[in-house]
Amino acid sequence: MGEGADEEEDLFNNLPDVFLTYIVSFLPATDAARTSVLSHRWKTMWKYSSRLSFDQREMLKSLIKVYIEKYDQNKRIELAMLRREIPLKYANAFLDPIARAALLMKSTIDNHIGPLKNCSIRHMLESCASGDVVRWMKKLLEKGVVNVSLELESHDLQNISCHLTIFGEILCMPFDVLTSFKVLELKNYYLKTTLSPNSHQVLNTLTLNNIRVESNDFENILSQCSSLENLTLKKCNLFGDGVKIDSPSLKYFKFFDMTVHKMLISATKIEVIEIGTIICYNEDLIFETPNLHVIRICNDVKNLGRHLATRDIVEICSGISVRHGCMRSIFDNLVTLCLDLDFTNNRNAIALSFALKSSHQLKNLQINNQVNMDYIYNGGVTDQNDNACLPYPGVLFWEKREPCRCVIYQLKSLCIRGYTGGEFEYEFVKYLILNGGVIENITLWFLDDCSWNKVVATNCLLSYPKLSSKLSFDLKPGAIFARKYSGSFNKWVTTLR
């Protein structure tokens, strides 16, 4: 037994340093530094890891806990603000445990030898008020870090004075610092910046999560970031009269879980847009993206209040929304269209047909039909007016549609997830089989609780005459069955009887 243990230990110790530093890089920074006591070889191992991860509250956990119990949040922020105002050489006189943790983080970064490429920091409210956050950022720049994630931890606002809360949440990031990291993620801040020339800006990917920022400041950041290609906004509050997404180099834009007052997306180089749940009026969302190649609309909420459903966004993008009659379709150069869409809704079918008609270059269509299940199970009510908008039964909709140019000459693949075998889905797939001139693949992922009769009926689609000689069918089992048992479609069908 002992000999086997020795062999196992030898195998670990014989790993090259590059492997060991890679393993260490996944530890929190304080734990990584503690590995230096293991042996002489490990003494400086952590200093060569490519990544550091800090959680300020965990660094001096017991001391910080006592400090928080002794002083309320208002007092702690006031002391932190005092540290910001006094010269650094006198700051040691005001080193409370939170400040000591901040200093320890700075010291850890200082002592790192490199090459350090990635750093994530989760910190407390006081470190914004004291200015420590910006000092960390500048130190990371000196170390050549290219990927930074900053997060202000969640905090209780009820017992904090309003003006002190602002000082604790405001991140005053100099523009030359903001744009000098290749990848930057910010979470839970009130962001402010002052524009200044930065000939060395390299910011390529910016992710803002739960960020408050004035729309004018945000527009200035975008317009001046000449290297920005990827932008993600989640739960952000862009307060002002509206915001214009206009960046000279932007190629990818994702926004979700947001309330939008007015948004104009006007970036000629954008190729990919992803949209999640948005609260907005139809007329307040405008697209001017003529080179769009991929769009993903990842929501299909029932149109309650100002929530935009998938069909609303499709109607806007297609240029058919009544309020945007003058807006040109942005689907002209679209190659891939991904939608969360409820097939049992007639108005959704109409929106999809307009999207196909507007998409002259579309090759890939992906539809998730399972999006409204939770809503329905929780007592949601379908808007019956949506299913009364046709002069004939909705199930005949696709049979009566003339095939558009996209379906005949361009569309190569269809994938439907959450396929129930319902008549609306059935008729749409049948429409593509009969009219798709160049379509090569149709993939259907069934729901796990789909009935055996519906599966058999879907399988009968194979008997229809195919317009495209290259068309192949790929029927997939329910997702839960496939994930749990890695079973084949035929094996799954036997479980339905």
Side-chain angles (χ1 to χ4, degrees):
M1 181 69 69
E3 183 179 349
D6 290 340
E7 290 179 359
E8 183 176 350
E9 183 178 354
D10 289 340
L11 288 174
F12 185 77
N13 286 331
N14 287 333
L15 286 174
D17 286 356
V18 65
F19 287 168
L20 295 178
T21 55
Y22 178 75
I23 295 171
V24 169
S25 69
F26 289 95
L27 295 174
T30 49
D31 292 342
R34 289 191 182 105
T35 62
S36 61
V37 303
L38 295 178
S39 69
H40 179 74
R41 183 189 180 194
W42 283 85
K43 188 172 183 180
T44 60
M45 191 75 70
W46 71 271
K47 296 183 179 182
Y48 292 92
S49 63
S50 62
R51 180 179 182 273
L52 288 178
S53 177
F54 297 96
D55 187 334
Q56 186 177 17
R57 186 180 288 268
E58 296 297 320
M59 297 196 69
L60 297 174
K61 188 173 182 179
S62 58
L63 294 178
I64 289 177
K65 182 180 179 181
V66 173
Y67 177 65
I68 289 175
E69 292 173 350
K70 185 176 181 180
Y71 297 100
D72 63 25
Q73 183 75 79
N74 291 316
K75 182 63 175 179
R76 299 199 303 270
I77 294 180
E78 287 176 351
L79 290 173
M81 291 169 59
L82 182 61
R83 290 185 60 243
R84 178 195 285 260
E85 300 298 328
I86 63 176
L88 286 177
K89 63 181 180 179
Y90 300 118
N92 288 342
F94 299 89
L95 284 182
D96 55 70
I98 296 176
R100 291 177 189 170
L103 191 62
L104 180 58
M105 292 163 66
K106 179 178 177 297
S107 175
T108 303
I109 297 171
D110 273 332
N111 289 321
H112 193 279
I113 298 175
L116 181 60
K117 297 300 180 183
N118 302 278
C119 185
S120 63
I121 298 176
R122 187 171 185 269
H123 65 88
M124 302 176 68
L125 201 68
E126 292 81 358
S127 291
C128 268
S130 66
D132 283 323
V133 176
V134 175
R135 286 191 281 271
W136 296 331
M137 297 290 279
K138 291 181 178 179
K139 182 59 64 175
L140 291 173
L141 275 181
E142 294 176 9
K143 289 290 185 177
V145 177
V146 296
N147 187 331
V148 173
S149 174
L150 276 183
E151 177 185 352
L152 172 61
E153 69 174 19
S154 301
H155 48 275
D156 184 5
L157 300 178
Q158 294 183 353
N159 299 318
I160 310 177
S161 299
C162 183
H163 73 285
L164 293 178
T165 302
I166 294 297
F167 281 108
E169 293 181 338
I170 288 180
L171 178 59
C172 296
M173 182 79 71
F175 185 74
D176 60 334
V177 175
L178 179 74
T179 57
S180 292
F181 298 99
K182 189 172 183 179
V183 179
L184 179 62
E185 179 177 1
L186 303 176
K187 184 176 181 180
N188 300 337
Y189 298 100
Y190 179 179
L191 179 63
K192 283 184 171 292
T193 188
T194 302
L195 292 181
S196 60
N198 180 17
S199 58
H200 301 291
Q201 60 173 271
V202 296
L203 184 61
N204 177 268
T205 301
L206 177 62
T207 300
L208 302 181
N209 186 346
N210 194 28
I211 297 294
R212 290 179 292 157
V213 59
E214 295 181 18
S215 57
N216 289 337
D217 288 346
F218 183 66
E219 289 179 2
N220 289 334
I221 292 173
L222 293 185
S223 63
Q224 296 300 316
C225 285
S226 59
S227 57
L228 183 65
E229 295 186 356
N230 307 293
L231 174 64
T232 299
L233 305 179
K234 178 182 179 181
K235 296 181 180 178
C236 290
N237 183 359
L238 310 176
F239 50 91
D241 294 332
V243 65
K244 183 178 182 180
I245 306 297
D246 184 7
S247 178
S249 56
L250 194 63
K251 294 182 179 180
Y252 170 88
F253 178 42
K254 179 178 181 179
F255 62 110
F256 59 108
D257 293 348
M258 288 178 58
T259 298
V260 176
H261 179 50
K262 287 184 180 180
M263 180 179 287
L264 168 60
I265 304 172
S266 177
T268 57
K269 291 187 178 181
I270 283 187
E271 298 177 357
V272 180
I273 292 180
E274 294 192 41
I275 306 173
T277 303
I278 300 297
I279 299 178
C280 179
Y281 290 119
N282 291 42
E283 66 269 25
D284 290 336
L285 185 61
I286 305 174
F287 296 87
E288 294 178 359
T289 53
N291 294 309
L292 189 66
H293 291 164
V294 179
I295 186 168
R296 298 185 181 95
I297 305 175
C298 306
N299 73 87
D300 192 24
V301 297
K302 297 299 179 181
N303 198 13
L304 302 175
R306 293 170 56 194
H307 282 87
L308 289 186
T310 295
R311 62 156 182 260
D312 300 313
I313 300 173
V314 169
E315 289 171 357
I316 294 171
C317 295
S318 302
I320 64 170
S321 179
V322 175
R323 294 168 180 169
H324 282 296
C326 60
M327 192 181 100
R328 183 179 171 185
S329 169
I330 64 170
F331 286 165
D332 288 346
N333 297 306
L334 199 68
V335 176
T336 299
L337 176 62
C338 307
L339 303 173
D340 284 355
L341 197 69
D342 176 12
F343 263 108
T344 62
N345 185 292
N346 288 341
R347 191 177 155 195
N348 287 354
I350 294 173
L352 177 59
S353 69
F354 273 105
L356 293 175
K357 187 175 182 180
S358 304
S359 304
H360 307 303
Q361 308 295 327
L362 188 68
K363 297 187 182 303
N364 309 298
L365 177 61
Q366 302 172 16
I367 298 176
N368 176 20
N369 186 44
Q370 199 177 357
V371 289
N372 278 325
M373 294 302 164
D374 291 340
Y375 179 88
I376 294 171
Y377 294 155
N378 288 318
V381 179
T382 302
D383 188 348
Q384 297 301 323
N385 293 326
D386 288 344
N387 287 329
C389 57
L390 296 173
Y392 48 80
V395 71
L396 299 178
F397 176 79
W398 292 107
E399 181 179 329
K400 291 180 174 292
R401 297 297 294 180
E402 289 293 329
C404 61
R405 180 179 179 84
C406 163
V407 171
I408 298 174
Y409 299 111
Q410 295 295 331
L411 191 64
K412 294 290 185 69
S413 71
L414 166 70
C415 178
I416 299 179
R417 292 184 178 274
Y419 185 85
T420 66
E423 53 187 4
F424 290 89
E425 302 155 281
Y426 182 95
E427 289 298 323
F428 178 64
V429 176
K430 175 183 170 183
Y431 168 78
L432 293 183
I433 293 173
L434 297 177
N435 300 292
V438 296
I439 193 166
E440 297 177 358
N441 179 260
I442 293 178
T443 302
L444 306 178
W445 286 88
F446 285 83
L447 282 180
D448 282 274
D449 58 356
C450 185
S451 70
W452 183 82
N453 290 335
K454 295 289 181 65
V455 173
V456 172
T458 300
N459 209 35
C460 291
L461 285 169
L462 301 175
S463 64
Y464 283 99
K466 300 181 292 185
L467 185 59
S468 171
S469 60
K470 296 182 179 180
L471 178 58
S472 65
F473 254 85
D474 195 2
L475 303 182
K476 300 288 188 179
I480 296 177
F481 179 88
R483 185 168 56 248
K484 190 173 182 180
Y485 299 107
S486 301
S488 68
F489 174 76
N490 291 332
K491 183 177 180 180
W492 172 68
V493 171
T494 61
T495 67
L496 301 179
R497 297 187 179 184

